[in-house]
Amino acid sequence: MKRLIALCTLASSLNLASAGEFVIASYGNVQAKDVQDLVTDGFTARFPADAWEIFIYSTAFTMKRRGQAICHAVVGVAPRRTYQFPRHHFSITRTATIKLEQWNDTEALAFETGCVRSAIINMMDIDPNDVHHPYKF
């Protein structure tokens, strides 16, 4: 867990947002610019960017012997600069059949970005009051 927190801290510091844009605490290859357009006005009314960050954990990999690609993404919101894995989160897993000779880093990034975008769309589709459930310490 300490390693994940350290990675999120580093990723968050690299994804500095301009005024009004969310900080994305991202562990994976997806950048803030890849998902910023999905953040709705209703969402930012409930979770102002100066107090909250969007947490993203994502990965994509291949099973070359089977010609399969797999991606997984977990997203949620956390109070800004807490680097918490969201207690209430939204996740998605996808698989795809691939042609190995056409699979490269660009394809892998597009596949992973698609997973993250789908998870964020799922998060944006519910009532913003149901998105974040705080940890009880």
Side-chain angles (χ1 to χ4, degrees):
M1 188 63 171
K2 288 181 182 179
R3 182 178 276 173
L4 179 59
I5 291 169
L7 287 170
C8 289
T9 302
L10 174 63
S12 184
S13 67
L14 295 176
N15 288 323
L16 298 176
S18 60
E21 290 184 345
F22 269 89
V23 169
I24 308 289
S26 178
Y27 176 67
N29 297 311
V30 179
Q31 303 293 311
K33 66 179 175 50
D34 299 324
V35 296
Q36 190 68 44
D37 63 303
L38 299 176
V39 180
T40 65
D41 291 339
F43 187 83
T44 55
R46 171 64 181 86
F47 298 105
D50 61 345
W52 296 90
E53 62 191 17
I54 295 176
F55 175 95
I56 299 172
Y57 175 86
S58 62
T59 188
F61 59 94
T62 62
M63 295 175 51
K64 292 185 178 183
R65 295 171 87 191
R66 294 185 180 193
Q68 291 286 306
I70 298 124
C71 66
H72 181 71
V74 175
V75 302
V77 295
R80 195 160 183 178
R81 295 185 181 94
T82 62
Y83 312 109
Q84 293 176 348
F85 192 97
R87 182 172 161 234
H88 184 92
H89 51 268
F90 303 81
S91 63
I92 192 165
T93 301
R94 287 190 173 163
T95 61
T97 303
I98 59 170
K99 294 182 179 178
L100 294 177
E101 62 276 2
Q102 295 175 345
W103 190 256
N104 56 40
D105 289 342
T106 303
E107 291 290 321
L109 179 59
F111 190 53
E112 185 174 344
T113 300
C115 277
V116 170
R117 288 181 64 84
S118 293
I120 289 176
I121 288 168
N122 289 341
M123 181 173 68
M124 296 294 161
D125 279 347
I126 72 164
D127 183 336
N129 292 318
D130 294 332
V131 171
H132 177 70
H133 297 214
Y135 283 97
K136 299 185 183 232
F137 294 106

